[in-house]
Amino acid sequence: MPIDWIMGLAGGGLIGTAAAIYLLVNGQIMGASGIVGGLVDGSGRHDWAERAALIAGLVLVPAVAAFAMGGAQTHLTSNWAVIIIAGLLVGVGTRVANGCTSGHGVCGISRLSLRGIVATAFYIGAGGLTVVIFKHLLGVI
Amino acid sequence: MRAAVSLLVGALFGLGLLISGMTDTTKVQGWLDIFGDWDPTLAFVMGGAIVPMAIAWRVTHGRKPVLAASFPPPPEPRLGRKLVVGSTLFGMGWGLSGLCPGPAMASLSFGGTGGWLFLLAMLIGMGLAPGLRNRLDASPQPV
């Protein structure tokens, strides 16, 4: 659908604007895994309130917007084993790599960071291969 | 003040993830599915996000952040095994579920029990990460 890429571009623009404000005002990199991960392992204890505020906005504003839009769907698999394994992999992987789609992807690539570009190549490559294997070969997802 | 800015940043981030379709796992898995019914939306989201951020990085030159002492240091030139191993594990989980950390949080209100289960597993995974980091640091680095 042509509307999908327009919404993608507009939503992407909002994500990039959010990251730009976080950098220019607070002097920080908007990486979702680092912001929440720092609260999990204690490395972000000193600025926990700022992290919690960001997460509150990230959770609550889509809640209100989705309600106003008449609901939204994630279409997440109902297979609990897949959900648990995927969640564990995303959690451990993003913290070991020190970044995810927002930190390495948006914030890293935009400053032409080699680490951001390499990380993005690996997670997209691994993600694509996983979809090929688990969807087309095994039919699990 | 910095917390209020963080709240605004989270709000814009979440709204962007929702309207771009990135909280819909079929769009993310559709982008990764190069041999299936390929969905290009994610590339537009990435492109749309990278443009304002690239401008912001240029603005940082010779300046200071409004509410902080300094900007983040330049990225480390070393890649290292943690970057490669971690990104590969993350990509596998991303492909399996279609969720990464930002959208996992942004979709909590409408993602049902599965969404909360994913978040819980992700937080546990994050708690396990320091152990794996130490193991990877202890072995010799090829890259």
Side-chain angles (χ1 to χ4, degrees):
Chain A
M1 263 197 295
I3 186 92
D4 283 11
W5 68 264
I6 297 171
M7 295 306 278
L9 211 51
L14 280 179
I15 298 166
T17 303
I21 294 171
Y22 203 47
L23 177 69
L24 296 176
V25 180
N26 283 14
Q28 285 177 299
I29 290 173
M30 191 189 77
S33 57
I35 291 162
V36 65
L39 293 176
V40 174
D41 63 26
S43 60
R45 209 177 290 132
H46 61 287
D47 59 357
W48 69 271
E50 292 170 26
R51 292 167 188 261
L54 193 146
I55 293 167
L58 181 58
V59 173
L60 297 177
V61 170
V64 174
F67 181 74
M69 284 160 47
Q73 288 278 329
T74 57
H75 300 113
L76 181 64
T77 175
S78 54
N79 185 330
W80 281 31
V82 170
I83 294 176
I84 292 170
I85 293 165
L88 287 169
L89 285 169
V90 168
V92 77
T94 53
R95 288 302 282 157
V96 167
N98 202 19
C100 57
T101 343
S102 45
H104 279 314
V106 175
C107 299
I109 292 176
S110 60
R111 78 200 295 207
L112 299 176
S113 149
L114 183 63
R115 282 175 59 82
I117 294 165
V118 169
T120 303
F122 272 92
Y123 63 69
I124 288 177
L129 209 59
T130 301
V131 170
V132 169
I133 294 170
F134 287 88
K135 184 178 177 186
H136 297 295
L137 299 181
L138 302 176
V140 181
I141 56 170
Chain B
M1 190 60 202
R2 283 171 55 97
V5 173
S6 301
L7 181 70
L8 171 74
V9 166
L12 289 175
F13 187 13
L15 199 60
L17 287 170
L18 178 70
I19 71 164
S20 64
M22 293 299 99
T23 53
D24 183 346
T25 60
T26 53
K27 296 205 80 63
V28 175
Q29 286 178 322
W31 192 75
L32 291 171
D33 192 7
I34 41 169
F35 295 110
D37 189 11
W38 191 64
D39 186 332
T41 310
L42 193 142
F44 286 97
V45 182
M46 267 288 177
I50 284 172
V51 170
M53 200 49 194
I55 297 168
W57 281 118
R58 294 202 137 252
V59 172
T60 62
H61 295 306
R63 289 190 178 84
K64 278 184 155 199
V66 181
L67 296 175
S70 60
F71 283 113
E76 224 185 292
R78 255 172 87 88
L79 297 176
R81 193 181 284 171
K82 282 181 291 191
L83 187 81
V84 171
V85 172
S87 296
T88 303
L89 294 176
F90 162 42
M92 289 164 65
W94 193 39
L96 277 177
S97 61
L99 284 176
C100 50
M105 291 186 277
S107 66
L108 270 182
S109 60
F110 52 84
T113 319
W116 284 95
L117 186 64
F118 181 91
L119 182 81
L120 185 68
M122 185 180 89
L123 296 177
I124 292 169
M126 287 178 165
L128 297 172
L132 181 56
R133 290 181 76 98
N134 291 341
R135 284 179 74 110
L136 290 168
D137 279 337
S139 51
Q141 299 273 329
V143 275

